[in-house]
PDB file of all heavy atoms in Angstrom:
ATOM      1  N   SER A  71     110.840 105.803 124.646  1.00 54.00           N
ATOM      2  CA  SER A  71     111.572 105.454 123.455  1.00 54.00           C
ATOM      3  C   SER A  71     111.399 103.961 123.084  1.00 54.00           C
ATOM      4  O   SER A  71     111.429 103.603 121.950  1.00 54.00           O
ATOM      5  CB  SER A  71     113.083 105.772 123.616  1.00 54.00           C
ATOM      6  OG  SER A  71     113.560 105.060 124.742  1.00 54.00           O
ATOM      7  N   GLU A  72     111.215 103.092 124.122  1.00 53.00           N
ATOM      8  CA  GLU A  72     111.057 101.672 123.795  1.00 53.00           C
ATOM      9  C   GLU A  72     109.804 101.349 123.004  1.00 53.00           C
ATOM     10  O   GLU A  72     109.690 100.362 122.372  1.00 53.00           O
ATOM     11  CB  GLU A  72     111.165 100.776 125.026  1.00 53.00           C
ATOM     12  CG  GLU A  72     110.311 101.054 126.192  1.00 53.00           C
ATOM     13  CD  GLU A  72     110.868 102.120 127.166  1.00 53.00           C
ATOM     14  OE1 GLU A  72     112.042 102.488 127.066  1.00 53.00           O
ATOM     15  OE2 GLU A  72     110.077 102.514 128.019  1.00 53.00           O
ATOM     16  N   GLU A  73     108.845 102.317 123.011  1.00 64.00           N
ATOM     17  CA  GLU A  73     107.621 102.123 122.237  1.00 64.00           C
ATOM     18  C   GLU A  73     107.872 102.736 120.786  1.00 64.00           C
ATOM     19  O   GLU A  73     107.117 102.392 119.863  1.00 64.00           O
ATOM     20  CB  GLU A  73     106.417 102.769 122.889  1.00 64.00           C
ATOM     21  CG  GLU A  73     105.986 102.054 124.115  1.00 64.00           C
ATOM     22  CD  GLU A  73     104.870 102.739 124.836  1.00 64.00           C
ATOM     23  OE1 GLU A  73     104.108 103.497 124.181  1.00 64.00           O
ATOM     24  OE2 GLU A  73     104.692 102.540 126.038  1.00 64.00           O
ATOM     25  N   ARG A  74     108.754 103.618 120.689  1.00 74.00           N
ATOM     26  CA  ARG A  74     109.066 104.286 119.422  1.00 74.00           C
ATOM     27  C   ARG A  74     110.047 103.526 118.549  1.00 74.00           C
ATOM     28  O   ARG A  74     110.111 103.742 117.330  1.00 74.00           O
ATOM     29  CB  ARG A  74     109.495 105.696 119.626  1.00 74.00           C
ATOM     30  CG  ARG A  74     108.415 106.586 120.319  1.00 74.00           C
ATOM     31  CD  ARG A  74     108.900 107.950 120.598  1.00 74.00           C
ATOM     32  NE  ARG A  74     109.413 108.606 119.414  1.00 74.00           N
ATOM     33  CZ  ARG A  74     110.270 109.604 119.415  1.00 74.00           C
ATOM     34  NH1 ARG A  74     110.760 110.028 120.555  1.00 74.00           N
ATOM     35  NH2 ARG A  74     110.654 110.139 118.308  1.00 74.00           N
ATOM     36  N   ILE A  75     110.851 102.666 119.158  1.00 82.00           N
ATOM     37  CA  ILE A  75     111.854 101.969 118.414  1.00 82.00           C
ATOM     38  C   ILE A  75     111.449 100.497 118.336  1.00 82.00           C
ATOM     39  O   ILE A  75     111.193  99.866 119.362  1.00 82.00           O
ATOM     40  CB  ILE A  75     113.228 102.063 119.149  1.00 82.00           C
ATOM     41  CG1 ILE A  75     113.610 103.569 119.265  1.00 82.00           C
ATOM     42  CG2 ILE A  75     114.305 101.258 118.462  1.00 82.00           C
ATOM     43  CD1 ILE A  75     114.834 103.771 120.141  1.00 82.00           C
ATOM     44  N   LYS A  76     111.467  99.974 117.144  1.00 86.00           N
ATOM     45  CA  LYS A  76     111.202  98.548 116.928  1.00 86.00           C
ATOM     46  C   LYS A  76     112.451  97.921 116.315  1.00 86.00           C
ATOM     47  O   LYS A  76     113.141  98.494 115.511  1.00 86.00           O
ATOM     48  CB  LYS A  76     109.991  98.334 115.994  1.00 86.00           C
ATOM     49  CG  LYS A  76     108.707  98.914 116.548  1.00 86.00           C
ATOM     50  CD  LYS A  76     108.279  98.271 117.809  1.00 86.00           C
ATOM     51  CE  LYS A  76     106.907  98.791 118.242  1.00 86.00           C
ATOM     52  NZ  LYS A  76     106.678  98.567 119.641  1.00 86.00           N
ATOM     53  N   ILE A  77     112.679  96.694 116.742  1.00 89.00           N
ATOM     54  CA  ILE A  77     113.879  95.984 116.287  1.00 89.00           C
ATOM     55  C   ILE A  77     113.427  94.666 115.666  1.00 89.00           C
ATOM     56  O   ILE A  77     112.544  94.019 116.164  1.00 89.00           O
ATOM     57  CB  ILE A  77     114.791  95.672 117.483  1.00 89.00           C
ATOM     58  CG1 ILE A  77     115.234  97.004 118.174  1.00 89.00           C
ATOM     59  CG2 ILE A  77     115.978  94.804 117.055  1.00 89.00           C
ATOM     60  CD1 ILE A  77     115.923  96.768 119.487  1.00 89.00           C
ATOM     61  N   SER A  78     114.083  94.256 114.601  1.00 90.00           N
ATOM     62  CA  SER A  78     113.874  92.916 114.076  1.00 90.00           C
ATOM     63  C   SER A  78     115.222  92.199 114.213  1.00 90.00           C
ATOM     64  O   SER A  78     116.268  92.777 114.063  1.00 90.00           O
ATOM     65  CB  SER A  78     113.433  92.974 112.609  1.00 90.00           C
ATOM     66  OG  SER A  78     114.410  93.603 111.796  1.00 90.00           O
ATOM     67  N   ALA A  79     115.087  90.891 114.462  1.00 91.00           N
ATOM     68  CA  ALA A  79     116.297  90.058 114.680  1.00 91.00           C
ATOM     69  C   ALA A  79     116.037  88.695 114.146  1.00 91.00           C
ATOM     70  O   ALA A  79     114.901  88.168 114.182  1.00 91.00           O
ATOM     71  CB  ALA A  79     116.666  89.958 116.149  1.00 91.00           C
ATOM     72  N   VAL A  80     117.060  88.086 113.547  1.00 93.00           N
ATOM     73  CA  VAL A  80     116.975  86.724 113.098  1.00 93.00           C
ATOM     74  C   VAL A  80     118.034  85.917 113.842  1.00 93.00           C
ATOM     75  O   VAL A  80     119.221  86.267 113.819  1.00 93.00           O
ATOM     76  CB  VAL A  80     117.207  86.621 111.582  1.00 93.00           C
ATOM     77  CG1 VAL A  80     117.166  85.160 111.129  1.00 93.00           C
ATOM     78  CG2 VAL A  80     116.158  87.444 110.836  1.00 93.00           C
ATOM     79  N   LEU A  81     117.609  84.873 114.554  1.00 93.00           N
ATOM     80  CA  LEU A  81     118.520  83.998 115.293  1.00 93.00           C
ATOM     81  C   LEU A  81     118.568  82.658 114.594  1.00 93.00           C
ATOM     82  O   LEU A  81     117.541  82.072 114.369  1.00 93.00           O
ATOM     83  CB  LEU A  81     118.041  83.830 116.722  1.00 93.00           C
ATOM     84  CG  LEU A  81     117.573  85.061 117.491  1.00 93.00           C
ATOM     85  CD1 LEU A  81     117.001  84.709 118.815  1.00 93.00           C
ATOM     86  CD2 LEU A  81     118.811  85.991 117.718  1.00 93.00           C
ATOM     87  N   ASP A  82     119.779  82.174 114.303  1.00 94.00           N
ATOM     88  CA  ASP A  82     119.915  80.830 113.800  1.00 94.00           C
ATOM     89  C   ASP A  82     120.561  80.010 114.925  1.00 94.00           C
ATOM     90  O   ASP A  82     121.712  80.347 115.419  1.00 94.00           O
ATOM     91  CB  ASP A  82     120.883  80.788 112.574  1.00 94.00           C
ATOM     92  CG  ASP A  82     120.116  81.228 111.320  1.00 94.00           C
ATOM     93  OD1 ASP A  82     118.866  81.265 111.276  1.00 94.00           O
ATOM     94  OD2 ASP A  82     120.791  81.492 110.316  1.00 94.00           O
ATOM     95  N   VAL A  83     119.857  78.969 115.396  1.00 94.00           N
ATOM     96  CA  VAL A  83     120.356  78.165 116.486  1.00 94.00           C
ATOM     97  C   VAL A  83     120.587  76.740 115.969  1.00 94.00           C
ATOM     98  O   VAL A  83     119.651  76.091 115.449  1.00 94.00           O
ATOM     99  CB  VAL A  83     119.277  78.140 117.607  1.00 94.00           C
ATOM    100  CG1 VAL A  83     119.805  77.336 118.789  1.00 94.00           C
ATOM    101  CG2 VAL A  83     118.851  79.551 118.060  1.00 94.00           C
TER     102      VAL A  83
END
Side-chain angles (χ1 to χ4, degrees):
S71 61
E72 52 275 351
E73 292 177 22
R74 295 178 55 206
I75 300 170
K76 298 297 183 198
I77 300 169
S78 61
V80 177
L81 312 173
D82 281 346
V83 182

